Amino acid sequence: QNVFNMVVEVPRWTNAKMEIATKDPLNPIKQDVKKGKLRYVANVFPYKGYIWNYGAIPQTWEDPGHKDENTGCCGDNDPIDVCEIGSKVCSRGEVIRVKVLGTLALIDEGETDWKIIAINAEDPEAANYNDINDVRRLKPGYLEATVDWFRRYKVPDGKPENQFAFNGEFKDKDFAVNVIKSTHEHWKALIAKKTDGGEISCTNVTVSGSPFCCSQECAKATVDAAPPCKAANPIPPEVDKWFYYQKN
């Protein structure tokens, strides 16, 4: 089947760089911090924040010790990323079922960083989307915008444009599903302690054969021990800035 669960980390049109914190017990979703400051993605004209619901497929891992045969680069040490293209703006932390349609191979600072293109299985138009060419036909310009977004989103931070494998061409559904299956096998080795995950916290409550498996009581104690949430910090005004520059 080409239907998988997706954990929504970043709702469409928002800027806060939220992600599954793989090094924290039970892997909560947290905002990334760089040089002591909360991270937000820049708005590179004509885009505002993330242009899809962005998240990850659980039980996958892009192994940094494994060189991908397609890209020639090792994994980025995270779950595999998903760009969900449906009409609903999802909520952070929501778990949705998505139909996989294809994938883009981003090379992010020398690491393989697959971007799965998918649509919410509950979307009213989901039945019309079965492969990557359906996206090209029914949402003209969206795939090109996706490549452009990933190519340029770090430039306002002083970094060079990102590169892609396959000259930025999208691979089809079958290719994408095989990538997901491969990263699932890497996750199984990680969770069974057959691969050293370094600082990754593999504590879980559902994989009974895993040496990292803990009880519900243990997990609840971990959650209860976390400091209480305080009022959110105001969003800095520079998050709404729009950046303009020539495409290379």
Side-chain angles (χ1 to χ4, degrees):
Q1 299 298 316
N2 66 321
V3 176
F4 296 84
N5 287 324
M6 169 189 174
V7 178
V8 178
E9 297 166 312
V10 186
R12 190 168 75 234
W13 308 138
T14 64
N15 297 71
K17 196 170 190 325
M18 309 296 293
E19 55 189 30
I20 293 169
T22 57
K23 296 175 184 177
D24 288 17
L26 302 178
N27 308 142
I29 295 174
K30 294 173 67 175
Q31 189 167 356
D32 194 22
V33 176
K34 204 156 199 175
K35 296 180 180 175
K37 293 180 68 176
L38 293 170
R39 281 187 72 190
Y40 296 87
V41 298
N43 305 302
V44 178
F45 183 82
Y47 313 115
K48 166 69 175 80
Y50 288 71
I51 62 172
W52 345 256
N53 294 301
Y54 191 71
I57 297 179
Q59 299 193 358
T60 61
W61 181 48
E62 296 194 61
D63 184 352
H66 172 77
K67 181 178 283 191
D68 189 282
E69 62 182 15
N70 296 292
T71 66
C73 297
C74 293
D76 71 346
N77 204 30
D78 280 324
I80 201 165
D81 296 318
V82 186
C83 302
E84 191 280 316
I85 65 168
S87 56
K88 175 188 173 186
V89 176
C90 294
S91 302
R92 182 175 300 121
E94 193 174 348
V95 179
I96 61 174
R97 294 168 63 249
V98 295
K99 287 176 67 174
V100 168
L101 305 171
T103 189
L104 178 69
L106 177 67
I107 306 300
D108 189 353
E109 297 180 28
E111 296 175 331
T112 302
D113 191 4
W114 293 103
K115 306 298 180 186
I116 300 294
I117 308 300
I119 188 167
N120 191 335
E122 305 302 318
D123 191 277
E125 303 293 323
N128 297 328
Y129 291 84
N130 297 295
D131 212 327
I132 197 69
N133 286 330
D134 295 325
V135 183
R136 189 170 281 112
R137 178 170 55 89
L138 297 170
K139 291 183 184 282
Y142 205 176
L143 295 181
E144 291 80 1
T146 294
V147 174
D148 190 42
W149 194 98
F150 280 119
R151 187 186 306 280
R152 302 195 292 151
Y153 81 104
K154 288 186 177 181
V155 172
D157 298 330
K159 294 188 175 180
E161 291 188 351
N162 276 323
Q163 303 300 311
F164 303 89
F166 314 115
N167 294 319
E169 294 294 320
F170 288 83
K171 292 296 185 178
D172 64 13
K173 173 192 70 179
D174 292 340
F175 189 103
V177 170
N178 283 333
V179 170
I180 294 168
K181 288 179 177 177
S182 172
T183 56
H184 176 59
E185 291 302 318
H186 293 149
W187 172 85
K188 286 200 293 187
L190 173 70
I191 210 78
K193 215 173 181 178
K194 292 178 180 175
T195 302
D196 181 11
E199 297 180 13
I200 292 178
S201 174
C202 296
T203 304
N204 67 87
V205 295
T206 56
V207 189
S208 57
S210 166
F212 303 103
C213 192
C214 74
S215 65
Q216 290 283 353
E217 293 75 20
C218 169
K220 184 178 185 304
T222 300
V223 174
D224 290 345
C229 289
K230 298 178 182 178
N233 288 341
I235 295 176
E238 60 265 25
V239 172
D240 289 327
K241 183 178 178 181
W242 233 352
F243 291 87
Y244 302 80
Y245 71 97
Q246 293 289 336
K247 298 179 186 180
N248 286 344

